[in-house]
Structures are given as C-alpha cells and as structure tokens.
Amino acid sequence: MIHQWLDVARVADDAAKGIAMGSPLSPLLANVYLHPLDCALTDAGWAPVRYADDFIALAHTREGAEAAYAYTRTVLEEFKLRYEPEKTAIASFDQGFAFLGVRFLGDSYFYVWRDKVVEVEGDEADWLFGQYGPRYG
C-alpha cells in the first residue's frame, strides 16, 4: 500500500518517488523515517525538536550549532536526504528565528491565534500552549 502511495504522485516512470505534498501519509512516514535522526542527534548530545519533516537541533554555542548542522547533514545523507537550502539556517535566540509558525526572539516568543498576535515573555504562563504537554517546574 505504501508503494502505491509513493507511485501515485509520479508524473513519469523515471520521476523520483515520493509522497505528494499535503498527503495525510506524509507526516506519519516522516516521523517513522526520521526517528533515527532524533536518536542520532540525542545520542550525540544535541536536543532535537521535530514535527514531521520540520526540525531544529538546539545547541549551547554557535560552534555547537555548526557541529550539529554538519552532523545532521551526514545523518541525512545516510537516509538519501538533504537540507532544503532556502529553509535551513543556523540561528540564535538573540537574532530570532521562526519554527512551525512561532517566532522566537530572546526569551520571548510570538504566534498568531484567532487573528491576534500572542506574545509570551520569559517564564510567563502561556495559557494556550500551557494546556498541552508535560508540566515543568
């Protein structure tokens, strides 16, 4: 059945196989296929955060981030995958970055919910995200 999903989006017999954008199977297969990446990064001492095929690897220093970037590239190549150049960068919380619709900057983050920008600073409680996941502290 998975083989049929991989073939359905092909426009020609010699075209690469893959899951069509927006396919409900795509996040599931990404999670199964990329689980070893999570394990490799964790075992190497980095903290990966991943949702389907979108991920970040957290490091304490710029040098650590560059090492994580290079290591991740090597692991991805083993899976016959590569970075998407336009979506891949090394960034810090000080300069800010966006991940899954949330903008992180310093010790704050911002997101849009019901057409309103929600800003959360420092240890402030975030009622929307605070309803999910484990409780810390």
Side-chain angles (χ1 to χ4, degrees):
M1 190 176 241
I2 291 173
H3 181 69
Q4 290 174 330
W5 275 89
L6 293 172
D7 276 339
V8 74
R10 292 175 63 180
V11 293
D13 288 338
D14 60 344
K17 288 185 177 186
I19 298 295
M21 292 272 300
S23 166
L25 190 58
S26 182
L28 171 67
L29 289 181
N31 283 333
V32 169
Y33 197 73
L34 292 175
H35 178 72
L37 172 65
D38 300 341
C39 295
L41 288 170
T42 301
D43 290 347
W46 291 291
V49 179
R50 189 174 54 77
Y51 181 83
D53 63 344
D54 292 316
F55 67 94
I56 57 176
L58 301 171
H60 292 284
T61 65
R62 173 76 185 195
E63 294 77 23
E66 290 170 353
Y69 184 91
Y71 182 75
T72 301
R73 174 184 280 139
T74 301
V75 174
L76 289 175
E77 287 172 355
E78 291 174 14
F79 302 142
K80 300 191 183 331
L81 298 173
R82 62 178 168 72
Y83 284 127
E84 179 61 45
E86 292 181 14
K87 296 172 79 178
T88 306
I90 294 176
S92 70
F93 284 94
D94 290 337
Q95 73 187 94
F97 63 94
F99 180 62
L100 299 176
V102 179
R103 175 90 181 139
F104 296 90
L105 181 60
D107 68 348
S108 301
Y109 62 93
F110 312 81
Y111 60 91
V112 176
W113 187 71
R114 293 191 177 173
D115 296 326
K116 294 181 181 165
V117 175
V118 177
E119 177 181 355
V120 181
E121 295 185 53
D123 293 335
E124 180 181 327
D126 178 1
W127 72 268
L128 181 62
F129 286 134
Q131 300 177 51
Y132 306 102
R135 301 282 183 224
Y136 297 104

